[in-house]
């Protein structure tokens, strides 16, 4: 497509207008027993020909360690509300074999269970976020699972854990009371879900001296009545409430391809990603009505792109490619979270490996890093930073029915005092020249590509990777030259 003349954009940062800090956990991940997300993606077993570390696939482990993931949510997802934690402890050869009825009707041998997940979280340096089963297990099982994981006294469950190879208790700072109770977690009415949350959360307890965040299963997309009901009837028994929102270019029934798409699907995907701001704003308004002191946090504990599965892939495995478009979705979504730090304290992209908007794809012994991985890596400097208000005067990028800003911007001051700036050019073919009131030397990275669907393959795993980027100074103030369809993150010295 023909390159257009650069459009002028201006950014004025108010250094005195700050918000609550950007919690590192907004860059969290989600890993479910779904497709090849756990088995092959994370776990291959000690006897596998694929190089592994105690059964954990080594190449993926190292790549995720380099990403420094702050938190991982597990085991689901829909899988969580059919999962019996006892199936995943003890000698692997003796663990029961079950059916994963949600995702492909395939065998689940429970080789990856509580010990494997919590040990993997430790290896990553990530906090574990465990989703409990409110849909099909009795409430006492949440209490017993917590005791098994975190108990330090010589109870039967703590001794069972020790016998299974873990002497010291784990720290489990986050526990989800169910998942998607409005759907696969039990098809509950909001009031019934609120009742069950109050009941089940009663039995989720941390040992003395420890704390645990109890997360209520919340709304799907714009089901504001669900949030209203949960906050009205159960807010005193939760520390956070979740929402789930997936981005796709088409409809739920016909989502659209991950690659080979046109400008209309490019624009619709970015437009739907930006809808996150509307959803968070409206859910937060309901929370403010019932919780004006702001005690309950909002967790967007499932988000990301969802396309048609790759042709030839196993039905129900939700395996999709990942392109430059997904990198921009990461940037736009992170920038929304930066605008809502008062309530949004965690978010978990779906999912970590081989499923939906994955950071990593594998094929047998091969592995590649996706544009999503690179975008998340570029955003790491924002962890713990304080967002600053930025007024952006930008032309519009109009594509058919979609009317979007040409450029999206987020600015924050890092813990080291340095400014961090992200800039996203949403247009497929129009460069932007962004003038700012910022001073200093700005350097960082840019990710872009020749095509809208530029992506890495196992034959060419580094076709799209970040490149060095520097702003220029004009009259003492920084100017950023943004190519079309690009994401830039810089730090200013």
């Amino acid at each position: 497509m023909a390159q257009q003349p650069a459009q002028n954009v201006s950014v004025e940062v108010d250094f005195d207008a700050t918000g609550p800090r950007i919690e590192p956990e907004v860059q969290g991940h989600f890993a479910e027993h779904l497709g090849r997300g756990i088995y092959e993606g994370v776990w291959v077993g000690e006897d596998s020909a694929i190089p592994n570390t105690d059964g954990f696939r080594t190449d993926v482990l190292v790549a995720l360690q380099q990403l420094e993931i702050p938190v991982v949510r597990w085991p689901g997802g829909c899988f969580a509300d059919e999962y019996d934690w006892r199936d995943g402890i003890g000698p692997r050869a003796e663990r029961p074999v079950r059916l994963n009825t949600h995702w492909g009707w395939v065998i689940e041998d429970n080789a990856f269970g509580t010990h494997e997940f919590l040990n993997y979280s430790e290896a990553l340096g990530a906090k574990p976020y465990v989703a409990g089963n409110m849909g099909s297990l009795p409430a006492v099982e949440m209490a017993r699972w917590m005791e098994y994981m975190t108990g330090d006294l010589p109870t039967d469950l703590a001794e069972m854990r020790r016998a299974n190879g873990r002497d010291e208790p784990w720290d489990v700072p986050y526990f989800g009371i169910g998942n998607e109770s409005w759907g696969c977690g039990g098809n509950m009415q909001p009031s019934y879900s609120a009742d069950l949350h109050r009941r089940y959360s009663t039995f989720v307890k941390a040992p003395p001296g420890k704390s645990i965040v109890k997360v209520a299963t919340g709304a799907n997309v714009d089901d504001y009545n669900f949030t209203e009901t949960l906050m009205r009837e159960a807010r005193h028994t939760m520390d956070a409430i979740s929402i789930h929102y997936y981005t796709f270019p088409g409809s739920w029934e016909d989502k659209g391809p991950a690659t080979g798409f046109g400008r209309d699907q490019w624009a619709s995907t970015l437009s739907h990603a930006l809808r996150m701001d509307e959803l968070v704003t409206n859910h937060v308004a309901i929370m403010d009505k019932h919780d004006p002191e702001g005690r309950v946090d909002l967790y967007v504990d499932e988000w990301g792109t969802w396309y048609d599965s790759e042709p030839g892939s196993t039905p129900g495995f939700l395996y999709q490619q990942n392109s430059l478009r997904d990198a921009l979705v990461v940037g736009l979504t992170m920038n929304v979270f930066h605008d809502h730090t008062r309530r949004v304290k965690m978010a978990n992209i779906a999912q970590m490996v081989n499923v939906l908007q994955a950071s990593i794809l594998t094929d047998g012994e091969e592995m590649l890093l996706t544009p999503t991985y690179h975008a998340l890596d570029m955003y790491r400097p924002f962890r713990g930073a304080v967002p600053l208000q930025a007024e952006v005067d930008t032309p519009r990028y109009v594509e058919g029915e979609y009317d979007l800003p040409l450029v999206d911007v987020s600015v924050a001051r890092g813990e080291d005092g340095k400014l961090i700036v992200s800039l996203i050019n949403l247009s497929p073919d129009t460069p932007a020249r962004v003038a700012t009131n910022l001073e200093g030397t700005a350097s960082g990275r840019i990710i872009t590509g020749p095509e809208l669907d530029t992506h890495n393959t196992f034959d060419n795993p580094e076709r799209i990777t970040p490149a060095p980027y520097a702003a220029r100074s004009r009259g003492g103030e920084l100017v950023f030259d943004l190519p079309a369809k690009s994401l830039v993150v810089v730090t200013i010295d």
Side-chain angles (χ1 to χ4, degrees), residues 30 32 73 76-81 103 129 131 176-185 215-224 226-227 241-248 252 275-276 279-280 283 298-304 306 337 346-351 356:
F30 171 40
E32 183 172 8
R73 177 173 176 256
C78 293
F79 183 82
D81 278 297
W103 304 117
Y129 172 8
I177 313 298
N179 167 80
E180 294 190 356
S181 56
W182 42 263
C184 62
V215 187
T217 174
N220 183 37
V221 193
D222 58 0
D223 186 352
Y224 302 121
F226 203 98
T227 298
I241 189 170
S242 69
I243 61 170
H244 292 176
Y245 175 59
Y246 287 96
T247 295
F248 37 85
W252 178 253
R275 191 186 175 206
M276 182 71 80
L279 297 172
V280 171
H283 284 288
L298 180 63
Y299 289 179
V300 187
D301 61 19
E302 288 186 31
W303 70 272
W306 192 329
F337 296 154
M346 184 192 290
N348 306 92
I349 190 168
Q351 293 189 20
L356 298 176

Side-chain angles (χ1 to χ4, degrees), residues 94-382:
E94 299 175 13
R95 296 180 189 179
V97 175
R98 307 291 189 197
L99 274 177
N100 186 336
T101 62
H102 283 294
W103 304 117
W105 205 262
V106 295
I107 291 293
E108 166 62 62
D109 67 5
N110 286 296
F112 190 94
T114 298
H115 287 250
E116 290 77 18
F117 169 66
L118 294 174
N119 289 341
Y120 196 67
S121 297
E122 286 187 338
L124 293 178
K127 298 175 183 177
Y129 172 8
V130 173
N133 182 344
M134 190 175 76
S136 62
L137 283 182
V140 70
E141 289 301 331
M142 286 191 183
R144 289 171 177 164
W145 198 7
M146 279 297 298
E147 182 183 338
Y148 182 88
M149 294 185 288
T150 65
D152 58 357
L153 297 175
T155 66
D156 285 355
L157 287 170
E159 291 303 317
M160 184 188 300
R161 183 196 68 234
R162 294 183 178 103
N164 287 333
R166 174 73 181 203
D167 184 41
E168 295 298 317
W170 289 285
D171 186 19
V172 180
Y174 307 102
F175 196 94
I177 313 298
N179 167 80
E180 294 190 356
S181 56
W182 42 263
C184 62
N187 286 302
M188 303 174 196
Q189 294 294 327
S191 58
Y192 183 65
S193 184
D195 287 342
L196 277 193
H197 173 86
R198 289 200 308 270
R199 178 177 163 222
Y200 275 63
S201 64
T202 302
F203 304 102
V204 176
K205 302 173 183 178
K210 299 287 186 178
S211 61
I212 187 164
V213 175
K214 301 178 187 181
V215 187
T217 174
N220 183 37
V221 193
D222 58 0
D223 186 352
Y224 302 121
N225 180 57
F226 203 98
T227 298
E228 174 79 33
T229 304
L230 267 289
M231 289 299 298
R232 183 181 66 245
E233 300 179 9
R235 67 185 180 278
H236 298 302
T237 58
M238 68 177 74
D239 302 299
I241 189 170
S242 69
I243 61 170
H244 292 176
Y245 175 59
Y246 287 96
T247 295
F248 37 85
S251 64
W252 178 253
E253 296 78 15
D254 184 14
K255 298 177 180 68
T259 58
F261 52 84
R263 294 170 62 105
D264 57 337
Q265 291 192 324
W266 166 275
S268 65
T269 303
L270 301 187
S271 176
H272 295 155
L274 285 170
R275 191 186 175 206
M276 182 71 80
D277 182 67
E278 168 201 324
L279 297 172
V280 171
T281 297
N282 292 340
H283 284 288
V284 165
I286 296 168
M287 296 174 71
D288 288 345
K289 180 174 71 172
H290 295 284
D291 177 38
E293 65 275 16
R295 188 189 66 81
V296 179
D297 296 333
L298 180 63
Y299 289 179
V300 187
D301 61 19
E302 288 186 31
W303 70 272
T305 54
W306 192 329
Y307 308 123
D308 297 336
S309 296
E310 291 301 303
S313 64
T314 303
F317 276 23
L318 307 189
Y319 178 77
Q320 64 189 41
Q321 250 295 354
N322 195 294
S323 73
L324 171 62
R325 177 175 63 171
D326 297 276
L328 267 63
V329 168
V330 168
L332 293 172
T333 304
M334 285 296 154
N335 290 358
V336 169
F337 296 154
H338 296 175
D339 289 339
H340 293 277
T341 54
R342 182 174 62 87
R343 286 281 188 183
V344 178
K345 304 297 185 181
M346 184 192 290
N348 306 92
I349 190 168
Q351 293 189 20
M352 198 159 66
V353 187
N354 285 334
V355 176
L356 298 176
Q357 192 176 350
S359 291
I360 296 173
L361 301 179
T362 68
D363 183 10
E365 295 188 6
E366 296 183 284
M367 182 201 78
L368 64 81
L369 306 180
T370 68
T372 290
Y373 178 100
H374 294 306
L376 289 168
D377 189 43
M378 291 167 64
Y379 266 77
R380 281 195 300 149
F382 280 102

Side-chain angles (χ1 to χ4, degrees), residues 10-54:
S10 66
V11 175
E12 188 82 13
V13 178
D14 185 343
F15 299 100
D16 296 321
T18 63
R21 83 172 199 147
I22 300 165
E23 297 297 334
E25 287 75 20
V26 300
Q27 295 183 25
H29 276 65
F30 171 40
E32 183 172 8
H33 288 239
L34 194 173
R36 295 184 295 115
I38 296 295
Y39 301 112
E40 185 187 316
V42 168
W43 176 262
V44 293
E46 296 97 330
D47 298 329
S48 174
I50 297 173
N52 67 87
T53 304
D54 298 325

